[in-house]
Amino acid sequence: IIALGGSSTNDGGGGIACALGAKFYNQKDEEFLPVGGTLSEIKSIDVTALDERIKGVEFSVMCDVDTVLTGNLGASAVYGPQKGATPEMVRDMDTWLGRFAELTKAVLPEADANIPGTGAAGGLGFAFLAYLNATLQSGIDLVIKETGLEEHIKNADIVVTGEGRLDGQSYMGKAPVGVAKLAKKYGKTVIAFSGCVTEDAAICNEHGIDAFFPILPTPCTLQEAMDCDNAYKNLKNTACQVFRLLKTANK
């Protein structure tokens, strides 16, 4: 079982493919290690030397997003800006990832860049799918199953969830909405807390989260916000006020 997330990369998994034995060649037929900025230099891929230990092994990849590899909802468009990419860089990287996918499919016909989750972690989902013949599955679904969360939700009055930043991507298979969808199966009210929220986070209200709240009471640095003592205090105080309101409304 491989869990994806927070890769800080956007190379489609080229580095992982190299580590597994794939060989990448440029226009001069020189072997090289591709990274996000050099995917455009790939002329051909050779997979004949893939590690023999891969054969016969079943790989399950946990993804918390449904992002595909390329396009408006692809890895570059969704995660590139988070990593500092300009609109021009996003367009370039998307083109390069598309080319990488085409070259991969030429030697591994089962590779499919349109499967949900292939864009996870900057395209690592695609690499595992193509080079390991892995299956991609919802990370939150597996966590829900292993923790027995459904039984807890059945007996709850209110379900509380959250993440570091709630935004327009949160509904694309991430944990808070996964929890919310399960809670709605039993008609439960769902409240979410997060370190911060973005303007497009309102879409989460359409996917099971009844209301969400950022926990920061005043402007502060990222370091201050992530300090464990501060985070605990801020979450506690915000939750206290939210539940005081709920208690009052229910009188």
Side-chain angles (χ1 to χ4, degrees):
I1 297 176
I2 302 171
L4 297 186
S7 65
S8 297
T9 61
N10 200 72
D11 67 350
I16 285 175
C18 276
L20 293 171
K23 298 182 183 301
F24 293 81
Y25 297 92
N26 60 23
Q27 297 296 330
K28 297 180 180 180
D29 289 325
E30 300 170 331
E31 185 179 349
F32 76 107
L33 172 66
V35 296
T38 61
L39 290 180
S40 61
E41 299 175 20
I42 303 174
K43 175 187 176 182
S44 62
I45 304 173
D46 180 3
V47 295
T48 58
L50 282 176
D51 197 315
E52 290 291 324
R53 292 173 295 180
I54 296 173
K55 295 180 179 179
V57 180
E58 295 182 6
F59 294 93
S60 295
V61 176
M62 296 170 56
C63 307
D64 64 354
V65 295
D66 297 327
T67 314
V68 292
L69 186 64
T70 60
N72 292 334
L73 295 177
S76 300
V78 175
Y79 307 121
Q82 295 179 356
K83 300 168 184 175
T86 64
E88 182 179 2
M89 292 168 66
V90 167
R91 288 192 294 271
D92 287 342
M93 291 190 296
D94 189 65
T95 299
W96 302 339
L97 283 178
R99 176 63 174 160
F100 173 61
E102 291 175 0
L103 292 171
T104 296
K105 190 172 181 62
V107 293
L108 295 168
E110 297 300 317
D112 187 349
N114 295 313
I115 292 177
T118 50
L124 297 189
F126 174 75
F128 286 123
L129 178 75
Y131 292 89
L132 289 181
N133 194 31
T135 57
L136 306 181
Q137 63 184 97
S138 166
I140 184 57
D141 287 348
L142 182 58
V143 170
I144 286 173
K145 177 182 176 182
E146 294 299 320
T147 59
L149 181 62
E150 186 164 0
E151 288 301 315
H152 293 293
I153 285 178
K154 284 181 182 180
N155 300 316
D157 295 309
I158 295 175
V159 174
V160 179
T161 184
E163 64 179 338
R165 185 179 81 166
L166 207 64
D167 55 29
Q169 298 175 30
S170 298
Y171 82 95
M172 300 171 66
K174 288 194 173 182
V177 170
V179 171
K181 287 182 177 179
L182 179 60
K184 289 307 174 186
K185 177 180 176 181
Y186 298 99
K188 306 297 184 179
T189 296
V190 181
I191 303 295
F193 297 99
S194 62
C196 65
V197 299
T198 61
E199 186 174 349
D200 57 358
I203 194 171
C204 296
N205 295 136
E206 302 173 17
H207 295 271
I209 295 179
D210 294 295
F212 55 82
F213 302 87
I215 66 171
L216 296 180
T218 58
C220 65
T221 66
L222 180 61
Q223 184 176 5
E224 289 170 336
M226 295 182 67
D227 177 83
C228 289
D229 291 336
N230 289 338
Y232 173 80
K233 178 181 65 177
N234 291 337
L235 178 57
K236 177 181 177 181
N237 290 342
T238 304
C240 179
Q241 294 304 312
V242 169
F243 279 92
R244 285 177 65 88
L245 176 62
L246 290 173
K247 183 178 180 181
T248 301
N250 289 329
K251 286 184 178 180

